[in-house]
Amino acid sequence: MRTIKLLLMLVAAISFTGCKKFLEKPPQGKLQEDEALVDEASLQAFLNGTFNTQATEIYNGRLWFINDLMSDEVNGVLYTEDNGEIYNRRTSIFGAFKNDTYTRIYQNIYRANKVLEKLSLASGNKNKIEGEAKFIRGLMHFEAVRMWAQPWGFSADNSHLGVPVRTAPNIDVIDRSTVKQVYDFVVADLQAAEQLLPDAPVLGYPSKWSAKAVLAKVYFQQNNFAKAFDYANQVISSNKFAMDNMQTKRFSLSDSKEIIYGFKNTQSVLEPGSELRDRYRSDGTNFSPNNDFKVTDQFFNLATQPGDQRAAWYTTINGYHPITKYNANQFNVSIIHLTEIKLIRAESGAELGSANLAIAIGDINDILSRAYAGTSMNLPANASAADVIRVTRIQRELELIGEGNRLQEIKRITARTNASPDRRGASAFCPGLVLQFPQGEHSGNTNFIMNIEGGCN
């Protein structure tokens, strides 16, 4: 019992070091870790604490808000300080909100590596523990490389610089790996997790289907449509998940059938989504146009078409258009869900053509039928691939508003077409769509190459 109590205190101590630069000093509790991690139970408890920190420090809305600030859906003309720097796509070595996010991502990687270092302590649940640790490590590297590096496809062989790949629980000075090296590492970790994780989905923990779903996202980000389609198809065909009859169930206390990986709200124990409420909420006195998320007039008009049930996700306050998606005191948080996987299969299927096109049309019609409460807006059975791709990209924006999606789509489509779809007029591969690293990386390693600064205009 003393060991477990010490372990829980350790996880809490590490969780509160997010504002410190991770690479300037070892995470607190290094000695306590070795004392506390003594058997399989303590190892699993430490790993469970890592999922809690994901829910409360990274996927609480923090990572999505940074993505959304840099998108072309947001009206950010009133933003100042950290928010203004991110919105204006001119990040520097400063900016605690951005830098703390980087720190927290790599602290999660550190914890996963610590579990893998101590894996010999595991016995009966060894596969599950190893799979969870590799899932976390792969997912966190994927999130980091998408934010702090130019996208897959920026260079012909993807030899442009990515992020540091950390494979051990230490703070050794290391350089940035190439984007190809990072993606190869991410895929290897997720494929290992796919084989090791349990089959049955449990909200709050990854299953093999979570790993497959993230692999679908990874391959889709690479515009590798054959593999993206394959993994998305495996998830959908498993029949482990089903489309909710209402989009609002994904972020509510209802038992959504769509959530493939996410976090369950347990009152007074784990209440995820704190920054979703702080940054996106618009009911009562919670909305501030100077700080909170609001969409442009252009996107508001796109998202509030007659008959579209998702128009209820928007409101207008003093001429601004915030969203209502997270207007609740408590809700479960869906990190990856069936709607997104259907959107991946739809666009990938249209790109591949042949029999896959019919599957793609079926997927996008499932989404349209729910959105419009009927088939009035459905695509015909003979819709062209180009039409399916166009409609799917629109539906992706509408379904995933406030989920940090659009920035990564701008990057992915730019890599696919060599032309930026950015409504704010960014040129292809502009440096401002990549975050600057914290100064701590360069201070610890003068050979560390920082990103180019200079915005997008």
Side-chain angles (χ1 to χ4, degrees):
M1 180 63 70
R2 176 182 178 277
T3 298
I4 298 298
K5 286 182 178 179
L6 178 60
L7 181 65
L8 294 174
M9 291 172 63
L10 166 65
V11 170
I14 294 175
S15 297
F16 286 106
T17 63
C19 60
K20 304 182 189 300
K21 291 183 176 64
F22 174 63
L23 297 178
E24 287 183 355
K25 61 173 66 177
Q28 293 182 11
K30 179 70 169 62
L31 295 177
Q32 292 95 322
E33 287 173 2
D34 292 329
E35 181 182 349
L37 297 175
V38 295
D39 56 19
E40 181 174 278
S42 61
L43 197 63
Q44 184 67 70
F46 182 75
L47 196 55
N48 291 348
T50 302
F51 288 117
N52 287 354
T53 61
Q54 266 197 13
T56 58
E57 296 183 359
I58 298 171
Y59 290 123
N60 61 340
R62 167 181 286 266
L63 186 63
W64 289 353
F65 188 59
I66 293 175
N67 272 274
D68 284 337
L69 282 177
M70 297 173 72
S71 78
D72 59 3
E73 298 165 341
V74 64
N75 174 0
V77 294
L78 297 180
Y79 293 150
T80 59
E81 299 179 341
D82 281 10
N83 289 353
E85 185 181 71
I86 296 169
Y87 168 74
N88 288 312
R89 298 166 170 176
R90 292 183 177 274
T91 58
S92 66
I93 60 174
F94 305 106
F97 189 69
K98 162 186 68 73
N99 291 347
D100 287 354
T101 303
Y102 183 84
T103 297
R104 293 173 186 193
I105 286 172
Y106 274 94
Q107 284 177 342
N108 254 247
I109 291 169
Y110 172 90
R111 295 165 189 155
N113 281 328
K114 191 66 183 180
V115 169
L116 293 170
E117 179 188 65
K118 297 285 186 177
L119 193 59
S120 60
L121 297 172
S123 53
N125 289 318
K126 184 176 180 179
N127 282 356
K128 177 176 177 291
I129 290 171
E130 182 181 358
E132 289 179 347
K134 288 187 173 179
F135 176 85
I136 291 169
R137 190 173 67 176
L139 178 59
M140 291 296 96
H141 278 100
F142 177 55
E143 298 289 18
V145 76
R146 293 202 298 171
M147 295 300 295
W148 277 272
Q150 289 285 4
W152 182 274
F154 174 74
S155 61
D157 58 358
N158 294 293
S159 61
H160 57 289
L161 291 178
V163 295
V165 171
R166 292 194 166 270
T167 60
N170 57 44
I171 57 165
D172 291 349
V173 171
I174 60 173
D175 297 329
R176 295 168 68 176
S177 297
T178 68
V179 164
K180 184 180 187 306
Q181 289 169 334
V182 178
Y183 270 87
D184 287 349
F185 181 79
V186 167
V187 167
D189 260 2
L190 292 172
Q191 286 182 336
E194 173 192 1
Q195 299 301 316
L196 293 162
L197 287 169
D199 180 78
V202 176
L203 186 57
Y205 302 93
S207 68
K208 67 184 294 180
W209 306 104
S210 308
K212 288 177 183 289
V214 178
L215 280 164
K217 288 187 66 167
V218 170
Y219 285 125
F220 190 66
Q221 194 75 44
Q222 294 177 300
N223 289 308
N224 185 335
F225 300 113
K227 289 188 176 179
F229 182 93
D230 177 44
Y231 272 100
N233 190 57
Q234 289 183 54
V235 173
I236 296 167
S237 300
S238 73
N239 295 319
K240 300 282 185 182
F241 314 95
M243 292 279 285
D244 293 329
N245 59 355
M246 298 174 62
Q247 297 95 331
T248 53
K249 284 190 176 181
R250 296 200 300 262
F251 295 92
S252 72
L253 294 177
S254 301
D255 290 329
S256 171
K257 298 176 181 178
E258 288 205 34
I259 301 177
I260 301 168
Y261 180 59
F263 301 105
K264 183 175 180 62
N265 187 96
T266 305
Q267 189 168 359
S268 301
V269 177
L270 179 66
E271 299 184 12
S274 59
E275 299 241 13
L276 292 174
R277 287 181 283 271
D278 290 345
R279 305 278 181 169
Y280 294 86
R281 194 168 179 178
S282 61
D283 55 339
T285 60
N286 291 288
F287 173 66
S288 166
N290 295 63
N291 299 303
D292 297 334
F293 181 77
K294 52 199 181 295
V295 300
T296 63
D297 291 344
Q298 181 183 16
F299 186 78
F300 178 79
N301 292 333
L302 173 68
T304 55
Q305 295 295 309
D308 191 334
Q309 308 297 303
R310 295 164 301 194
W313 278 347
Y314 302 87
T315 188
T316 300
I317 301 175
N318 296 328
Y320 298 103
H321 308 300
I323 64 174
T324 65
K325 196 171 186 177
Y326 306 117
N327 286 3
N329 292 327
Q330 298 174 328
F331 44 75
N332 300 330
V333 173
S334 176
I335 306 304
I336 184 166
H337 46 73
L338 187 62
T339 293
E340 182 176 8
I341 295 302
K342 275 187 168 280
L343 288 162
I344 288 173
R345 190 171 74 168
E347 185 164 340
S348 298
E351 288 277 5
L352 295 171
S354 299
N356 299 313
L357 180 58
I359 296 172
I361 293 170
D363 283 335
I364 202 62
N365 281 345
D366 285 345
I367 291 168
L368 289 167
S369 295
R370 180 177 64 183
Y372 287 91
T375 61
S376 61
M377 299 298 291
N378 280 19
L379 292 177
N382 63 348
S384 68
D387 274 348
V388 174
I389 292 169
R390 176 183 58 81
V391 172
T392 300
R393 288 178 179 174
I394 293 171
Q395 295 308 308
R396 168 178 281 272
E397 277 202 81
L398 298 179
E399 286 285 343
L400 304 186
I401 186 68
E403 297 181 36
N405 162 76
R406 177 60 180 171
L407 173 65
Q408 302 308 327
E409 275 297 278
I410 292 171
K411 292 182 177 184
R412 184 188 69 81
I413 294 169
T414 299
R416 174 65 173 153
T417 65
N418 205 33
S420 174
D422 181 57
R423 299 186 189 101
R424 289 167 60 183
S427 58
F429 304 121
C430 73
L433 294 182
V434 177
L435 294 175
Q436 181 59 281
F437 290 93
Q439 178 61 27
E441 283 283 21
H442 186 69
S443 297
N445 174 13
T446 56
N447 292 322
F448 189 93
I449 299 174
M450 304 292 276
N451 282 326
I452 297 171
E453 295 180 12
C456 286
N457 299 323

